[in-house]
Amino acid sequence: MKKIGIIGAGNIGMAIAKGMIRQNIIDKGGSGMSPRDTIKNLIKDGSVPSHLRRRSGNKDAVGALQTILYELGFGNELNWQKYGADGDYGGGTTRAVRTFAQRNNQRGDGETVTPAIAGKLIARYDMLDDLRHLHNAADEGNVESLYYRGSPHA
């Protein structure tokens, strides 16, 4: 099995290839927002470090972070099978954030999500749909259908 490679995106290619990433994992929790929108709002209002940190009381925001990290392939670090998106920023979330930061050339010990790490998380997360389409097209032998007008490959 070929591994789809995105530098610094965790085990995303393997996770897609193994079917570990589900199409629509959106746990709207108590906030009524998708995980992506929850994190984007924290970035927008400048409150990422106060909500996404070890022992944070914001279970919705931490659960959104955990869901995004899981979808990016950090389920082992999160111990996802045991805890899922429990909203507790403990050891597993710290490991996942630290590993994500290291793989994406960001500074951080995992204890707190910086605005730069949060931005990188969203950028990587936004790639998932394109990767899913590419993976499905490759499975169907139909990659050419994804070429766009003006593409050097068309």
Side-chain angles (χ1 to χ4, degrees):
M1 174 182 305
K2 274 193 170 177
K3 192 171 185 179
I4 300 170
I6 296 234
I7 296 172
N11 298 319
I12 192 169
M14 235 4 177
I16 290 171
K18 290 181 178 178
M20 292 164 51
I21 295 178
R22 296 182 302 225
Q23 278 295 100
N24 295 309
I25 236 181
I26 297 193
D27 176 2
K28 297 201 176 200
S31 68
M33 287 187 281
S34 72
R36 180 189 184 282
D37 290 343
T38 299
I39 303 302
K40 287 286 285 184
N41 282 341
L42 294 176
I43 293 169
K44 182 179 174 186
D45 69 20
S47 65
V48 169
S50 62
H51 293 285
L52 298 179
R53 60 179 168 71
R54 194 159 171 90
R55 295 182 190 89
S56 170
N58 189 334
K59 291 201 174 281
D60 287 338
V62 173
L65 169 67
Q66 291 166 330
T67 299
I68 288 173
L69 286 164
Y70 171 74
E71 286 203 48
L72 289 173
F74 294 91
N76 288 336
E77 290 84 353
L78 289 164
N79 200 0
W80 185 264
Q81 295 301 322
K82 184 173 182 181
Y83 298 110
D86 64 1
D88 178 29
Y89 199 127
T93 305
T94 299
R95 267 188 308 281
V97 170
R98 181 177 49 244
T99 304
F100 176 85
Q102 289 169 346
R103 290 183 183 171
N104 286 277
N105 300 314
Q106 300 293 310
R107 291 185 180 203
D109 60 5
E111 298 282 323
T112 302
V113 176
T114 65
I117 292 171
K120 189 66 79 169
L121 276 165
I122 294 302
R124 297 290 189 229
Y125 186 75
D126 286 346
M127 290 181 194
L128 289 179
D129 278 338
D130 290 339
L131 289 171
R132 287 183 189 114
H133 291 298
L134 178 59
H135 178 72
N136 291 336
D139 276 355
E140 297 164 4
N142 196 13
V143 173
E144 292 80 18
S145 70
L146 299 178
Y147 293 165
Y148 56 91
R149 182 173 292 158
S151 167
H153 308 289

